[in-house]
Amino acid sequence: MINFSQLGFIKPAGVTFLSNLILWLKSRNVDVRFDGHTGNTPALRFLDDSLFFQQHLGYPLNDRACVRSTTLPLMNVHHQDSFAWVRSTLVPWLSSALNVSRPSLYTFQTCVSELFNNIKDHSSREIGSVFAQHFPNINRVGIAVADFGRGIPASVRSVHPDLSDNEAIKRAVQANFTIRSTPGNQGVGLDYLLQSAVTNNGGAVTIYSSTGAVLFEPSGTGIGTNELPHVGFCPGATIDMWLRTDTIQDLDEEPEVFEWE
Amino acid sequence: MGMIRVQEICGAGDTGPQGEQLYNAILSELAQHDQIAISFAGIDTATSSFVNASLFRLLSNISLDEIKRRVKIIDSSRQINDMIKRRLTREATVAA
């Protein structure tokens, strides 16, 4: 039973996390029921407008529930459809919300694609739950991607069995770290994400997996890490990108001349 | 000079398998020409998986200096350029 009566606020990562948890439980034949969700609180209206209840109950709580212009509603996207979804749905929505050209968002388009490639490489179920929310009053956009995999700590501990959950997450983001090297997978996708979202954009990324949760944020000229305490259990992994919208350059469509350094 | 159009070879620069298609095309073209151009016209982005499986993998066949001399990248976006440099130039620098 999931009780919503105490829910006061929910972030983008919370929407994908909760949705993913429900799907994960259902995949294990757990009878998942909701309680305390019939109130009229802002958090419940937000979830309803995000199509959360539509997805999990088959209907919205309120007939007037509709997707807000600042919201990209909750979606479950299969790896084989993910790149088309990123190009045809995520980037046009971001471009419109932030009033910047699509080329301005190519880096973040790639970051999300990297996450779907990670899901393909490390998860037995190649599906990611995605949700995004624009917060124009604080110049931020949150993009959260969650998967059903066995989780980062379990994967990392197959080669480093002594690492804690948080240590495993920190190891997983290091450039060139991978447990399954293939021509395509060289262990740089998460490093690219952090360099793009934290170092270059000035935003933050939080990775939740198993009982671990690590916040990566700007620190001096590099990336600082903070282990978040008491976050509970996260099946698979949830990646929470928190991007600054005021540092995104509006780029033109012209190709850039390539020169070897 | 040989010419490879990425869009014709693999459609997009999203995945490792697409990168492997490009890698095979590059090897074939380099066997026939001293210099080749790789056009990314119509391709907006390249993931690390794609570059790893294509251009980065070339480092197992020829040196970075030879890649720089024989391979020209054209019609590419800033993101694609950054990813290629990140994977090849900086990786070779670290390895050295």
Side-chain angles (χ1 to χ4, degrees):
Chain A
M1 185 74 75
I2 297 177
N3 191 313
F4 292 84
S5 62
Q6 299 297 312
L7 184 65
F9 179 76
I10 189 163
K11 292 171 62 178
V15 177
T16 54
F17 168 81
L18 189 56
S19 179
N20 211 40
L21 177 64
I22 293 165
L23 294 172
W24 182 77
L25 290 169
K26 286 182 175 175
S27 73
R28 284 156 175 76
N29 298 315
V30 176
D31 181 17
V32 180
R33 299 184 186 187
F34 293 172
D35 190 24
H37 59 294
T38 54
N40 190 28
T41 66
L44 284 172
R45 287 199 300 273
F46 176 68
L47 273 179
D48 206 16
D49 287 344
S50 303
L51 305 184
F52 176 87
F53 293 107
Q54 173 73 51
Q55 185 170 119
H56 293 291
L57 294 176
Y59 55 87
L61 297 182
N62 191 315
D63 290 340
R64 287 176 293 179
C66 64
V67 177
R68 302 175 187 182
S69 63
T70 51
T71 300
L72 186 66
L74 182 63
M75 288 281 295
N76 291 322
V77 183
H78 194 281
H79 177 266
Q80 66 188 25
D81 305 319
S82 61
F83 308 109
W85 177 84
V86 167
R87 285 191 179 85
S88 64
T89 303
L90 176 62
V91 171
W93 174 80
L94 268 178
S95 175
S96 174
L98 308 184
N99 194 29
V100 296
S101 66
R102 291 190 187 194
S104 313
L105 302 166
Y106 281 168
T107 299
F108 306 115
Q109 172 179 323
T110 307
C111 287
V112 176
S113 296
E114 297 281 358
L115 293 178
F116 275 99
N117 279 335
N118 271 359
I119 291 171
K120 164 86 171 170
D121 288 338
H122 299 296
S123 175
S124 57
R125 299 186 64 183
E126 300 175 1
I127 297 174
S129 296
V130 192
F131 180 81
Q133 178 70 38
H134 181 209
F135 299 90
N137 53 326
I138 55 172
N139 293 323
R140 294 290 188 277
V141 65
I143 304 172
V145 180
D147 72 60
F148 294 92
R150 62 175 177 153
I152 293 171
S155 296
V156 172
R157 276 199 288 267
S158 67
V159 290
H160 294 291
D162 297 331
L163 295 182
S164 70
D165 287 0
N166 281 329
E167 289 169 339
I169 290 172
K170 293 181 197 174
R171 182 62 61 91
V173 303
Q174 291 178 354
N176 303 318
F177 175 80
T178 181
I179 61 164
R180 189 180 302 161
S181 183
T182 65
N185 178 13
Q186 300 288 321
V188 294
L190 290 176
D191 175 63
Y192 180 79
L193 168 68
L194 295 187
Q195 293 297 329
S196 302
V198 181
T199 305
N200 296 339
N201 173 264
V205 174
T206 306
I207 300 179
Y208 303 85
S209 190
S210 191
T211 62
V214 180
L215 167 66
F216 300 88
E217 56 187 350
S219 176
T221 57
I223 298 174
T225 60
N226 279 309
E227 299 179 7
L228 305 182
H230 313 304
V231 293
F233 175 75
C234 173
T238 296
I239 313 291
D240 183 20
M241 282 182 273
W242 198 247
L243 303 174
R244 287 180 60 170
T245 58
D246 56 340
T247 59
I248 297 175
Q249 285 182 281
D250 194 12
L251 303 176
D252 60 32
E253 303 271 351
E254 294 300 312
E256 180 189 75
V257 175
F258 181 92
E259 292 180 4
W260 291 108
E261 291 174 348
Chain B
M1 177 179 282
M3 170 67 82
I4 293 174
R5 299 181 199 284
V6 177
Q7 193 170 41
E8 292 176 7
I9 298 294
C10 43
D14 297 327
T15 68
Q18 288 168 340
E20 290 185 43
Q21 289 179 295
L22 178 59
Y23 170 75
N24 291 329
I26 294 171
L27 283 187
S28 173
E29 205 69 10
L30 283 175
Q32 301 172 55
H33 304 276
D34 181 53
Q35 292 187 312
I36 65 170
I38 302 174
S39 169
F40 283 84
I43 304 293
D44 50 8
T45 58
T47 64
S48 64
S49 299
F50 177 79
V51 175
N52 286 337
S54 55
L55 288 156
F56 181 72
R57 196 174 171 193
L58 273 184
L59 288 171
S60 60
N61 302 88
I62 57 179
S63 69
L64 180 60
D65 284 341
E66 193 172 355
I67 292 174
K68 288 180 177 179
R69 185 184 71 78
R70 300 182 64 189
V71 178
K72 187 176 174 66
I73 306 294
I74 61 174
D75 307 323
S76 49
S77 67
R78 178 185 293 195
Q79 188 280 326
I80 292 172
N81 292 347
D82 178 62
M83 184 64 83
I84 293 172
K85 290 174 188 172
R86 176 185 294 267
R87 294 304 298 136
L88 273 77
T89 311
R90 293 169 202 170
E91 191 74 21
T93 303
V94 170

